[in-house]
Every structure is written in structure tokens, then in C-alpha cells.
Amino acid sequence: MTPRKDLLDIQSLTDEELDFILTNAVPFKNLFKRSVKKVPTLRGRTVLTLFYEPSTRTRSSFEVAASRLSADVVNFSVSTSSVVKGESVLDTISTLEAMRTDYVVVRHSNSGIPNLIAKNTTASVINAGDGFHAHPTQALLDVFTLKEVFGGDVRGARIAFIGDIQHSRVARSTNLLCRRMGMHTAMLAPSSLIPRDLPQDIAVFGSWAELYAWKPDVIYLLRVQMERQNVPFFPSLGEYHRQFGMTDDRLARVRDAGVWVMHPGPVNRGVELTDNVMTYERCLIDQQVENGIAVRMSVLYWLKPGSATEEAVV
Amino acid sequence: MKRLFQHAEIASEDSPKLTRADVLVEDGKIVQVAPSIAAGEGVEVIDCSGKILLPGLFDVHVHAREPGQDQKENIRTCSEAAINGGVTGFVMMPNTSPAIDTAGVIKTVLESARKCRIPIYTSGAITKGREGKELAAIGAMHAAGAVMITDDGYPVGNPVVLRRAMEYAKNFGLIVASHCETMELSGKGSMHEGSKSYSLGLEGIPAISEEICLDRDIRIAQYTGTHVHIQHVTTARGMNTIRRFKEEGVKVTCEVAPHHLIFNHEDVGEYDTNYKMNPPLRTKEDNAALLQGLIDGVFDVIATDHAPHTEFEKNSDFGSAPFGITGLETALPSLYHYFIKDGKFGWDLVVKRYSAEPRRLLGHAPVPIEEGGTAEFIVFNPGATSTFSRDFMKSKSINTPFINKTLQGRVDTVVLGNEVLLSR
């Protein structure tokens, strides 16, 4: 396997690389059961988190993953005033180069920023979410979780994404990976939040009734991204919940059918789902969070920063 | 001063066939075109074996960036870029800083233009500051030399303002050129709305943004009886709307840019900002339809929408980078490389759509290569190649998809009157 510097999206991963990441996440997860949850794998390496968008769970997940691999973690403080300026990003890249960082974990509201950074630094760049584009580690942890649930083989399983498809990088990346792993995928959302020109073989539904008929094994609730909707895509959050959310009635039906429920977080309670979903025995949200650390450890272990590759050559 | 261009293949708008001939130029005039002309004493002979002579190109859509943005381009560098591409005259757009929206600014830019080696014309803005609210001093700009009016870069959003502008422009016989876009539908879009924008996670500009505005603007032109020129058409449906209105007898002309014939939205690849322009690259199907429209004659002119931006501005994420690519230097080689070479259309189409008709649009006479005419032609070498390196380009900016790429064909010589403006 040729050493890979960056993880920017799901598309560019080879089957061999995918298998490597998902397979190696297993021993890393097993590590969590030990009293000392740390290995010296990345001792002496520096992981820098560069979050231009607010995030708690993804950033913490990367921090924990890096520290469990014994890397030093630095949080780069990004002022909100520099978010929209391409110039500021380029200036930041220069700074990163000067700091000789090994890994840069970046989140930005503009699609393509991680690609731009990756082109301009020798550090390994991990896309932790860019605009509406990609969130590859989320997709990897989601599929890792599904493999656990389905006993290692997800082929043929049916997963439906519900909610703000249009503005969701999770929907793009996870959906793509699920399809690649042999799953059947569907989408349910207000038509205003369904992108045009979706691949032909993705089923698109307009109501829960149609979704029930499709018999999903997994329902993946997406966060309604109100902050990204500069014009209204639906009349109100209340109406959204009534028409598309997982209400108690729908939860009862889902429970009867034994359907698994996922959500990338953070959850909008009363919008995407009711409180009762959080205690549903087949709700995988906490499992997703735990697996996120293992998968991100595996990704950090797998990537080879420019400096590390040079050392290997020497 | 006499120059003899020997063994050339002459292109004209009247025939797809080239005519082998020698061309004798004396004191800036074409004095003889004949199968064979003997070189007399004191005559400079230029061997054009295997090369094409065609009338100088004329571009009705160029952003020279002066005044105010000379880090990107200025009128002089723009004119040199034009010569480098075989363009011997062009019309500047008014989206400068400040906008070209008064007689005073018109005079200023024309003063700069007079120092250049080719004739340069300017358009004026339709509205003050191109803000779409109040009409600019259209009559005064016309008197100062404006050849058309446009708010290019933006549409005139308010249909009432556009109506009044069209009615008023009629008094001066001015063409109203229209950048068709429904801004509310375009939103923050940075490329064509489709499968590629979805996969890249970029907000899209839907085709209907252009098509709705185009339909509206032509209907207003029809109602007011004004000549409207639709700029940079990109969609098959929009083009067919124009075709229909033309058949109804509406005074509408339109242009297509080479990049909208050659590239489509998939070419954006992984956020290559040299493929970011407005209107955006559409689909492969649109490419094919536009090409057919050019061949059928729906498009009156080819125009590049030459839009220089600094490397610094373009070296940004796709969403933040400015719209626009340069085109003056790449247009002719790209038309040859992608279309003429493979027989998709002939040289006559280039002469008609990129030399003769653009001049006629402004009420100027074409510049055919014939006896008695002014010498204004280029020598194109189909056997050579053009590599668009920084050294090759004369524009201040190099934001083109062709940067560092090689195309078949090269502009070898540009002649204007008594001057040889370019000789490679």
C-alpha cells in the first residue's frame, strides 16, 4: 500500500486502504478496555486541530485519539473574523509549515479548504468536515459501527438517511461509503432539501409511509442545519418534526420492526427526534461516539505525513 | 513599405474552403491578392507556407480592469494580450472600480486606449455604479464614445429600470448588452448546480437562473423595440429561447465563449479555481448544443469574457475565489485545437463569428483580406503548438484552464496597417 499523506474524502480511498483503516480500528477499540488506554505509536509527533467552525465532539474525538497514540496535540486558535478570507487560510498554512506540524485536522465552513491546505503543506491533512462536501472520518466510524451491528458484513443491509440531505456532508460521505460497502441507501426529506442530480440508484422518499414500505434496517437521522439555511427550506421546525422527525408514534413502529437508529450529533431534540429515541435500545449514537475515537486512531496510524515519509526513505 | 505574404491559405467568412494566394501589403493597404505575386525589390517577404491568413479577430466582451484594478490587468497589458491571441480590437466592460458609468470615465479610459497598438472601444454601465437602481448618464456616455451599455457582472435586477434603460438607449441607437442571471436563484453558488456541485459540496448556480433572466430581458427588448445583446449564453434551453425569439423577429443578438463550448462542470475536478467563472460551466449536453447553435448561426458572435484575476486571488478555496478566466490569448488556438482541426467547423465560421459579425454588431465594417482593404489580419500556424506558460502570456494574469498546457496551433503574426504587431 503506497503511503498516503492526506485523508480528504471517501472517494479517493482504495478498497485496501478502507480495509486497513476499519480492520486496525478494532485493536484500537480493544485498547479502551484496558486501564492504560495509551500506546506509544505516535510519540514525538504533533497533531494540530484547526477548527474554523465550532465543534465539540469531533474535535474532542480527534484530541483523545491523538493522545491515546501518545502524540502531542495543539489546538490552533482561529478567530472567527478570518473564516471567510481565503488569504487567512493561506497565511495559516505558512504558519503550519513553520511549526513543522505532522498532522493537521481541519474543519471549515467552505468546501475544499482541506484540499487547499493539503496542497500547500507537507503535514498530513485530515478533513474533519468541510462545508457541504465531506466528513470522511464520520463515514468511517459510521460504517465501522454498522459492521459491528451486522456482524462484520453490511452487504445488502438497507439504510435510510432522513433530513437535511442538501446541507449535510455526513449524508454525502456516509451514504457514499455505505453504497460502496454494498448497502442499499434511501433518502427521506422535504423535496427542498433533496439535491437535484442524485445518483439514480438512491431511492428518494417523500413520506414515512413510503419509507416503512421500503423496510429499512437502519435509519440515520441527520441534523437540521438551520445555520446553513439562508432562506427557509420548510415552514417551521415544528412542522418539520411532525412531517419528517422521529416522533413517539414513529419510534414505536421502528421499535416493532427492530430498526437501528443513528445520528451524527449534536441532536436537535424535538426536531429530528424525541427524547425517547435517546433511550431506545437500538439507538447507536453513543456507540458512534466511542467508535469515532478508535477509527480516528486508525486513520492517524495509517497516514504518513511528508516528514515521516522522508524519514522512511533516509 | 511593402510586405509580401507568400503561399498563404486565405480564410474568409463566405466559404469554408481556404484560398491559396499571395498577399501584397503596401503602406498599410492590401494592394494585391493573387495566386502568385513576384517579390519586387525592397519587398519584405514572409513565407506563409502551410499557414492560414485570416482577418484580425474582434472581441466584444473583455475585462481590461482599468480603472482601479491594475493589479489584475490594465488597458495596455490587455491590448498586448489581445495581440498575442490575434485579436485586433475589442470592447471593454464597465465593471471596473470605479465603474465606467459617466462620460468622464469613458473619456479617461479611451485616453488610455489611444496609447495602445490596436483600437479599443468601451461600453458604459446601464445604471450608476452598476447598482441597478438609477440610470447612468447614457446619452453623455454615448457622446463620449461608449459603444454599448451593460451592467455586466450583474443583471439589471429591476425590470422597470431595464425597461426604461432600453427605451432611453433607443434614442442613441445603443445596444443594451445583458448579463442574464437571477441573483436570488444564484445565491451564493459558485458553479453549475448539478451532480458535480453536489459531490464537491458547493452551492450551485442553477441553469434556470440564467434562463429566466434571459427570457425576461428579451421580452422587455421585444416590448420596447430595442436591440438586446445576450452575453455569454451557457445553456441549451437559453439558446433555444433566443432562437425562438429571433424567429419571431425580435432584435436580439447573442454571444458564446470558447470555454463554454469546450469545458463542462465535471472539469472543475478537485476545486480547480481556473474553472470558476460566471456564468458557470454547464453540462456536456450543453456543450454539444451550444456548438450546434454556433454552427447553425444562433450565436452571432464568439466572445471570450476575458476576466483576469491575480494568482493570489485564485489560489483560494473554490467558494471564495473570484469568478472569471482569461481568454484573449487562448481563444483562437483552442477553437482550432478542439473544433477546426477535427472538422467540427471551418475557418469561415471563425472569421464570421469572431471577426466580421462582432464588428458589424458595432456598426463597423469587417476587415476581409481583399484588394483595397486595410491590412488587418493574422497568420495562424496550424503546424505549431502554443504552450500557455507565464513567459508566453502577455496578460498580467494567468487564470486560465490552459495554463502550462499545450494546444495545437499558434498565432505567428499579427498585422495592422503598416505595423507588424506580433511576429514569432
Side-chain angles (χ1 to χ4, degrees):
Chain A
M1 192 163 53
T2 313
R4 177 77 73 118
K5 184 172 93 67
D6 310 302
L7 175 60
L8 303 175
D9 54 40
I10 287 297
Q11 292 93 313
S12 56
L13 287 177
T14 64
D15 289 346
E16 191 185 9
E17 289 170 330
L18 259 176
D19 186 57
F20 183 91
I21 295 167
L22 295 173
T23 303
N24 281 289
V26 177
F28 283 128
K29 189 175 178 185
N30 290 338
L31 190 70
F32 302 171
K33 294 169 195 153
R34 296 195 210 156
S35 56
V36 178
K37 302 176 182 61
K38 210 163 180 173
V39 287
T41 315
L42 294 186
R43 193 160 55 201
R45 301 271 179 212
T46 307
V47 176
L48 187 143
T49 61
L50 183 62
F51 276 56
Y52 288 81
E53 268 187 345
S55 162
T56 307
R57 71 179 61 207
T58 305
R59 186 175 195 148
S60 312
S61 179
F62 271 106
E63 282 173 12
V64 173
S67 62
R68 286 185 183 175
L69 290 168
S70 301
D72 297 317
V73 183
V74 179
N75 292 319
F76 196 94
S77 175
V78 180
S79 69
T80 49
S81 62
S82 65
V83 167
V84 293
K85 298 271 188 186
E87 301 95 311
S88 300
V89 171
L90 292 173
D91 288 346
T92 306
I93 295 165
S94 304
T95 309
L96 298 182
E97 282 296 287
M99 291 168 72
R100 311 260 180 225
T101 304
D102 297 294
Y103 299 87
V104 179
V105 179
V106 61
R107 169 169 287 194
H108 200 287
S109 57
N110 290 6
S111 300
I113 288 279
N115 302 60
L116 183 70
I117 294 176
K119 273 185 213 158
N120 289 281
T121 178
T122 56
S124 277
V125 176
I126 301 171
N127 183 356
D130 63 325
F132 311 153
H133 174 223
H135 197 348
T137 58
Q138 178 73 44
L140 290 163
L141 76 88
D142 287 337
V143 165
F144 183 82
T145 305
L146 288 166
K147 280 170 78 87
E148 284 184 331
V149 165
F150 289 100
D153 187 2
V154 297
R155 273 176 300 177
R158 300 161 88 82
I159 183 168
F161 295 84
I162 301 180
D164 191 350
I165 312 286
Q166 178 76 43
H167 302 101
S168 173
R169 52 200 175 207
V170 177
R172 279 170 176 79
S173 292
T174 300
N175 177 55
L176 200 71
L177 190 53
C178 286
R179 282 154 50 80
R180 193 161 157 186
M181 303 300 281
M183 296 179 74
H184 301 290
T185 69
M187 292 179 171
L188 164 62
S191 293
S192 51
L193 289 173
I194 298 273
R196 294 169 61 84
D197 302 303
L198 280 174
Q200 297 276 322
D201 54 342
I202 297 178
V204 176
F205 302 129
S207 71
W208 275 82
E210 292 173 64
L211 179 64
Y212 293 140
W214 190 68
K215 298 190 188 309
D217 299 302
V218 185
I219 281 175
Y220 198 123
L221 300 168
L222 295 166
R223 209 170 76 79
V224 174
Q225 315 235 10
M226 293 305 290
E227 69 276 15
R228 295 190 176 182
Q229 298 180 13
N230 44 15
V231 289
F233 284 74
F234 50 81
S236 69
L237 290 175
E239 175 153 329
Y240 178 89
H241 182 64
R242 284 190 294 278
Q243 299 295 331
F244 300 97
M246 184 168 277
T247 59
D248 286 336
D249 288 348
R250 289 174 184 142
L251 176 61
R253 188 148 179 186
V254 160
R255 177 177 273 126
D256 289 346
V259 178
W260 300 94
V261 175
M262 301 175 83
H263 192 296
V267 166
N268 289 315
R269 289 171 188 245
V271 181
E272 296 102 56
L273 44 77
T274 60
D275 280 352
N276 293 331
V277 175
M278 304 303 283
T279 53
Y280 169 43
E281 62 278 12
R282 291 200 167 205
C283 175
L284 296 169
I285 295 174
D286 290 342
Q287 199 170 320
Q288 285 173 274
V289 174
E290 186 182 13
N291 288 340
I293 296 168
V295 165
R296 285 168 179 133
M297 288 173 78
S298 185
V299 166
L300 288 165
Y301 171 65
W302 162 66
L303 287 174
K304 295 287 171 280
S307 55
T309 310
E310 283 159 25
E311 273 176 20
V313 171
V314 170
Chain B
M1 181 68 194
K2 289 185 180 178
R3 287 192 183 92
L4 179 60
F5 295 82
Q6 275 188 327
H7 315 306
E9 303 277 359
I10 313 289
S12 86
E13 63 173 318
D14 301 322
S15 169
K17 292 180 81 173
L18 299 170
T19 307
R20 180 157 294 189
D22 293 352
V23 177
L24 182 64
V25 175
E26 183 174 359
D27 296 332
K29 293 278 184 194
I30 298 170
V31 293
Q32 193 180 4
V33 179
S36 181
I37 302 172
E41 204 173 311
V43 175
E44 182 187 352
V45 177
I46 296 111
D47 181 16
C48 297
S49 300
K51 299 181 184 179
I52 321 292
L53 254 65
L54 66 156
L57 307 173
F58 192 93
D59 201 322
V60 297
H61 196 142
V62 170
H63 298 271
R65 304 297 189 207
E66 185 179 336
Q69 296 172 314
D70 68 348
Q71 74 280 14
K72 299 171 191 260
E73 192 79 288
N74 60 43
I75 294 172
R76 189 190 60 76
T77 58
C78 196
S79 70
E80 292 302 314
I83 293 166
N84 205 27
V87 176
T88 54
F90 63 79
V91 179
M92 287 170 49
M93 292 294 108
N95 59 335
T96 49
S97 180
I100 302 174
D101 62 355
T102 66
V105 187
I106 296 273
K107 286 175 187 167
T108 303
V109 296
L110 290 180
E111 188 59 38
S112 286
R114 269 191 285 276
K115 295 170 190 158
C116 298
R117 300 194 292 161
I118 55 173
I120 295 166
Y121 305 87
T122 188
S123 52
I126 296 172
T127 62
K128 289 178 186 173
R130 298 169 50 253
E131 290 178 350
K133 294 173 185 164
E134 296 176 70
L135 294 186
I138 294 167
M141 288 193 295
H142 174 250
V147 295
M148 63 168 71
I149 54 170
T150 176
D151 272 0
D152 182 46
Y154 293 128
V156 177
N158 185 332
V160 179
V161 175
L162 184 63
R163 173 189 172 172
R164 300 306 176 211
M166 285 189 174
E167 288 168 341
Y168 192 68
K170 264 175 70 174
N171 290 67
F172 309 98
L174 274 171
I175 299 166
V176 178
S178 188
H179 168 117
C180 293
E181 183 174 10
T182 309
M183 298 306 283
E184 295 86 347
L185 283 166
S186 293
K188 293 179 184 169
S190 55
M191 67 176 293
H192 172 65
E193 181 176 286
S195 54
K196 187 70 182 179
S197 67
Y198 175 67
S199 68
L200 291 177
L202 294 169
E203 287 195 51
I205 300 173
I208 54 167
S209 169
E210 180 175 336
E211 290 156 1
I212 288 170
C213 187
L214 179 148
D215 189 88
R216 181 202 74 159
D217 288 9
I218 302 176
R219 283 176 190 279
I220 295 173
Q222 181 181 34
Y223 190 71
T224 59
T226 308
H227 179 171
V228 66
H229 176 74
I230 306 296
Q231 299 171 295
H232 42 47
V233 177
T234 67
T235 80
R237 274 195 302 269
M239 182 189 75
N240 287 330
T241 300
I242 296 169
R243 189 199 303 266
R244 200 180 68 244
F245 277 110
K246 278 188 165 188
E247 284 166 1
E248 284 182 31
V250 179
K251 205 172 179 185
V252 52
T253 51
C254 60
E255 68 189 36
V256 66
H259 51 263
H260 289 130
L261 297 168
I262 296 166
F263 302 115
N264 65 70
H265 64 146
E266 297 287 346
D267 290 309
V268 168
E270 290 298 311
Y271 304 103
D272 188 341
T273 58
N274 280 327
Y275 290 86
K276 180 177 178 180
M277 65 281 289
N278 189 19
L281 298 170
R282 302 290 183 186
T283 66
K284 203 179 277 184
E285 290 72 28
D286 287 311
N287 289 153
L290 297 179
L291 176 62
Q292 195 54 48
L294 180 62
I295 293 165
D296 294 348
V298 183
F299 290 109
D300 300 271
V301 302
I302 294 168
T304 62
D305 192 6
H306 175 81
H309 293 290
T310 62
E311 277 180 89
F312 176 74
E313 291 170 294
K314 278 288 194 181
N315 190 17
S316 177
D317 66 285
F318 200 88
S320 304
F323 290 104
I325 62 169
T326 61
L328 283 167
E329 295 168 275
T330 57
L332 189 58
S334 67
L335 291 170
Y336 177 74
H337 183 96
Y338 289 96
F339 306 115
I340 299 174
K341 183 163 68 71
D342 298 335
K344 294 195 172 78
F345 56 68
W347 281 105
D348 55 324
L349 185 139
V350 173
V351 175
K352 191 174 185 66
R353 301 296 170 203
Y354 200 18
S355 175
E357 288 300 326
R359 288 181 167 90
R360 289 192 186 105
L361 190 68
L362 300 187
H364 299 172
V367 290
I369 300 169
E370 59 188 26
E371 287 178 12
T374 299
E376 185 169 350
F377 58 81
I378 59 183
V379 180
F380 186 83
N381 185 353
T385 57
S386 300
T387 300
F388 299 100
S389 63
R390 175 68 276 187
D391 289 342
F392 181 92
M393 312 285 266
K394 303 298 180 195
S395 171
K396 272 195 177 185
S397 298
I398 52 169
N399 49 304
T400 163
F402 296 115
I403 189 69
N404 294 326
K405 290 180 182 156
T406 299
L407 295 180
Q408 189 66 36
R410 186 179 70 195
V411 177
D412 272 1
T413 309
V414 177
V415 178
L416 180 58
N418 216 15
E419 303 292 325
V420 176
L421 303 181
L422 175 77
S423 178
R424 271 196 261 268

